[in-house]
Amino acid sequence: MSNPQQLRYTKEHEWLSDAVDGVATVGITAFAADALGDVVYAQLPGVGDTVTEGETCGELESTKSVSDLYSPVSGEIVEFNQDVVDDPALVNSAPFEGGWLFKVKLSEEPKDALSFDEYTALTAGN
């Protein structure tokens, strides 16, 4: 996951890995982590929870604000990152590696995922 060019993105600044055996990993982008500031609390969906593409599934609290976490896909949560719950600063220090948020068994492919180039264009100048 350390290569952001291979990921897909959302306009809400989440990233999504390619699915392996129907399971994709989700996190927030470095752009979002920088905008949030130091993340101090993470509320993530639990194993067995169902998430819906584009809907709120948790929140991240930083020293600047509280931000809703939106699911980039629909499906069932199969794992969440306990390391991020225990040390939310991982979202800032390693958003594409140890700061991933959850893994989801996809019920369908995402509809509005952006490529790396599309996401880069979206965030250019911000």
Side-chain angles (χ1 to χ4, degrees):
M1 286 184 291
S2 63
N3 185 352
Q5 294 179 347
Q6 295 176 342
L7 302 172
R8 293 178 283 171
Y9 298 87
T10 70
K11 292 177 182 176
E12 289 78 30
H13 309 289
E14 285 87 23
W15 60 260
L16 174 71
S17 72
D18 286 334
V20 176
D21 295 328
V23 176
T25 303
V26 174
I28 68 164
T29 65
F31 179 88
D34 289 343
L36 275 172
D38 296 332
V39 177
V40 296
Y41 174 76
Q43 177 194 1
L44 305 178
V47 173
D49 288 352
T50 300
V51 294
T52 302
E53 183 174 352
E55 292 191 8
T56 303
C57 64
E59 72 180 26
L60 298 173
E61 183 177 333
S62 73
T63 54
K64 292 182 181 179
S65 67
V66 175
S67 180
D68 286 333
L69 177 62
Y70 296 92
S71 181
V73 293
S74 296
E76 181 180 341
I77 302 300
V78 296
E79 184 179 353
F80 67 92
N81 191 345
Q82 184 65 49
D83 291 341
V84 165
V85 173
D86 295 341
D87 183 10
L90 285 171
V91 171
N92 299 104
S93 64
F96 297 107
E97 292 90 20
W100 62 273
L101 301 176
F102 59 88
K103 295 184 181 187
V104 59
K105 176 104 173 137
L106 303 179
S107 60
E108 60 187 44
E109 283 297 311
K111 296 175 187 75
D112 296 321
L114 305 173
S115 69
F116 175 79
D117 290 338
E118 291 168 329
Y119 184 73
T120 301
L122 176 74
T123 58
N126 288 325

